[in-house]
Amino acid sequence: MKHLIIYAHPNESSLNHHLLHHVIKVLESEKHEIIVRDLYQILFDPVLSLADMQGQYAGKVTEDVGIEQAHIAWADYVTFIYPIWWTGMPAMMKGYIDRVFSYGFAYRYDQGIQKGLLKGKKAVIINTHGKSREEYESTGMDKALSLTSDKGIFLYSGFEIIQHFFFDKADRATSENLEIWKAQIQNTYDQSVMNKVSGTHF
C-alpha cells in the first residue's frame, strides 16, 4: 500500500519525532511504499493568503500546494503526526490543512450538499499532549478535540479514520508508556489488520 506521513514538530529530539521513526520502521518492515512530508524540514508556508483564497475559488493552487495535493492523491493511507498545543494543532499543521485541503480538492458542495472528495483514503492520526487523559475527560476536551479534528476536518474531507491516538502526559512519558504506545501503533499498521480494513490483498 501507499503511505503518506504528514509530520509537524520542529524538534528532532521530541517524542513526536521518535514516534515518526517508529511508524516508518513499522511500514518499512511490511514493505509498504512511504513518502514523508516533514513540514518544518521542507519549510512549508502555512499562511493562507488572499491569493490562495482567490486561487482556490478559481480552481487554481500554487506550486507548493499542488505538490502536497499530488502526494495525498497518490496515497492509500495518510498518517498525521503532530502534538496538541493550546488544545489544537500546531500552526504549521493547521496552515497545511488551510492551504492544501482546498475547495475542489478535499471537498465541494453539490447543490448545497457538502461532499468529501478524499473518500476511499484511510487516515491514522497520532497526537501527543501534556495533560492527563483524566483531565481532558473531566473538562470534555477529549470530545472537543475529536469533534473539531475528526469530524470537522478528516471525516468532512472523506477520510475513513482507522485510528486516532491521543498519547497523554507526553512531556513526562515513561519508557514503559512509550513501549505500550509503540505496540499500539504497530498493531494499527499490522498487515492483516489493514487487509481487513481495506478489503484488499498486497
Side-chain angles (χ1 to χ4, degrees):
M1 302 294 280
K2 299 172 182 175
H3 284 261
L4 173 66
I5 303 172
I6 302 170
Y7 171 77
H9 199 295
N11 188 353
E12 292 186 357
S13 298
S14 67
L15 172 61
N16 280 257
H17 202 262
H18 184 83
L19 296 175
L20 167 66
H21 280 277
H22 179 63
V23 170
I24 293 171
K25 180 180 178 181
V26 169
L27 293 176
E28 286 179 341
S29 71
E30 297 284 359
K31 309 300 182 185
H32 296 294
E33 296 181 66
I34 308 167
I35 292 176
V36 178
R37 302 301 286 167
D38 182 332
L39 301 185
Y40 284 93
Q41 189 177 70
I42 66 174
L43 302 177
F44 182 79
D45 181 2
V47 179
L48 179 70
S49 67
L50 177 59
D52 283 324
M53 296 174 69
Q54 293 171 334
Q56 287 184 7
Y57 286 108
K60 299 177 182 178
V61 296
T62 58
E63 181 180 0
D64 61 335
V65 169
I67 289 171
E68 302 310 316
Q69 290 182 345
H71 287 313
I72 293 174
W74 166 87
D76 300 307
Y77 284 78
V78 183
T79 297
F80 300 85
I81 304 175
Y82 58 91
I84 299 298
W85 290 344
W86 287 102
T87 68
M89 296 178 173
M92 179 64 85
M93 182 62 78
K94 181 59 168 62
Y96 179 95
I97 299 296
D98 288 344
R99 297 189 66 214
V100 177
F101 282 38
S102 61
Y103 183 84
F105 173 74
Y107 71 100
R108 72 166 184 259
Y109 294 100
D110 291 340
Q111 297 181 336
I113 300 174
Q114 183 273 335
K115 181 178 181 180
L117 300 180
L118 301 178
K119 190 174 182 180
K121 298 185 182 299
K122 313 293 193 299
V124 175
I125 305 107
I126 299 174
N127 291 153
T128 61
H129 56 80
K131 285 187 175 294
S132 69
R133 187 181 305 276
E134 291 75 20
E135 287 178 280
Y136 269 4
E137 288 176 349
S138 68
T139 61
M141 192 59 66
D142 58 333
K143 293 182 176 63
L145 287 171
S146 294
L147 182 64
T148 55
S149 63
D150 293 4
K151 190 169 183 179
I153 297 173
F154 302 116
L155 292 174
Y156 187 90
S157 300
F159 278 105
E160 177 186 350
I161 299 176
I162 303 305
Q163 185 64 261
H164 190 159
F165 291 108
F166 290 99
F167 295 137
D168 67 338
K169 295 184 281 188
D171 56 337
R172 50 196 184 279
T174 66
S175 57
E176 294 173 332
N177 282 341
L178 184 56
E179 290 307 309
I180 291 171
W181 297 341
K182 287 166 69 174
Q184 291 173 343
I185 290 171
Q186 173 94 45
N187 290 337
T188 296
Y189 292 106
D190 181 77
Q191 183 166 326
S192 62
V193 172
M194 286 191 168
N195 272 327
K196 183 177 180 181
V197 169
S198 65
T200 59
H201 299 278
F202 53 95

